[in-house]
Amino acid sequence: MKEQKNQAGHIPIERPTVVVLAAGKGRRFQQAGGTSSKLHAQLLGRRVLDWTLKAVRESGLPLVCVEPDPERVSDGMGDSIARGVAMSEMAAGWLILPGDLPLIQPATLQYVAQQLAHHSVHTAHAVIRTVVEATPGHPVGFTRTWRSQLLQLQGEQGAASLVQQAKTMRSFVALSVSDTGCALDIDTPQQLKNVEKMLLNQVDMKATAHS
């Protein structure tokens, strides 16, 4: 599968496209003592962003990655979502995924995509958001009907206003999942260390299972 970055292209229409948001500056991470952007921080030998992209690729879903554009004055979450949707205009829908969710599971992305397709048959304006033990997570899925509104997003608030619209329209679906990786983002160096420990535990468990 060919990955697209910051350029328009044709996306298969039968499945939603995952829009990975990787244009943020991660100021909170640096203010908390981080020495680089959180997406470029090292996590067991690879960047945080690379872990997230790996999960998306393994899901088999179409992917666009919205990275920094030096020519843009504003690169807030809303701006990034709009850019990602513009990069994948042939998509049937979109799963919006921040780049700092390295523990998210490919199967979760597949499940959200399936549920978005299922609900879109009955509700054209369906919006789906994962929930982990009452904690809102990602991705947030939008059907193609939301395309024009997604393209108009600006600033730091992301798509919160559209999610609220969907709730008002009763087309919002809270999708309960057990994948804690949906809600474990990395905003501080301490959170990075916590995620690293969890990954190491997973490696140890796999090694024990195969011994």
Side-chain angles (χ1 to χ4, degrees):
M1 178 182 63
K2 183 179 180 181
E3 180 180 330
Q4 300 180 26
K5 293 186 178 181
N6 298 345
Q7 60 185 11
H10 295 293
I11 299 294
I13 63 173
E14 69 274 9
R15 296 174 297 169
T17 290
V18 182
V19 177
V20 177
L21 306 179
K25 296 179 174 60
R27 293 187 182 91
R28 182 179 170 187
F29 184 80
Q30 295 173 20
Q31 290 170 353
T35 57
S36 68
S37 161
K38 62 181 179 180
L39 297 179
H40 292 270
Q42 290 295 302
L43 179 59
L44 298 186
R46 65 175 61 159
R47 300 181 305 169
V48 167
L49 176 60
D50 291 333
W51 285 94
T52 307
L53 292 174
K54 178 176 180 289
V56 179
R57 294 191 190 101
E58 290 180 356
S59 77
L61 294 169
L63 160 68
V64 293
C65 183
V66 184
E67 297 187 282
D69 183 346
E71 297 182 0
R72 297 183 65 87
V73 176
S74 176
D75 240 339
M77 185 178 291
D79 304 284
S80 294
I81 293 172
R83 287 171 58 198
V85 171
M87 290 158 59
S88 53
E89 292 202 65
M90 297 299 293
W94 295 272
L95 304 186
I96 309 302
L97 183 68
D100 63 338
L101 289 167
L103 295 183
I104 194 164
Q105 299 299 305
T108 302
L109 296 169
Q110 294 170 347
Y111 179 56
V112 177
Q114 292 167 357
Q115 289 299 307
L116 183 65
H118 171 73
H119 286 281
S120 68
V121 173
H122 306 286
T123 307
H125 281 85
V127 173
I128 287 182
R129 180 163 200 173
T130 56
V131 178
V132 185
E133 297 180 351
T135 300
H138 285 87
V140 181
F142 293 86
T143 59
R144 183 171 174 79
T145 308
W146 290 96
R147 176 180 170 277
S148 61
Q149 291 98 318
L150 290 166
L151 287 171
Q152 294 172 28
L153 291 176
Q154 295 178 331
E156 297 292 343
Q157 294 304 308
S161 62
L162 303 187
V163 171
Q164 186 56 51
Q165 284 185 42
K167 290 180 178 179
T168 302
M169 297 166 62
R170 297 185 178 179
S171 61
F172 175 80
V173 178
L175 190 63
S176 180
V177 298
S178 60
D179 180 5
T180 57
C182 290
L184 288 176
D185 56 353
I186 294 176
D187 283 326
T188 66
Q190 184 58 53
Q191 289 175 328
L192 179 65
K193 291 179 181 178
N194 294 341
V195 168
E196 184 175 75
K197 289 180 181 178
M198 295 178 71
L199 280 171
L200 287 171
N201 287 337
Q202 290 178 10
V203 171
D204 290 342
M205 289 176 64
K206 289 180 180 178
T208 301
H210 288 90
S211 62

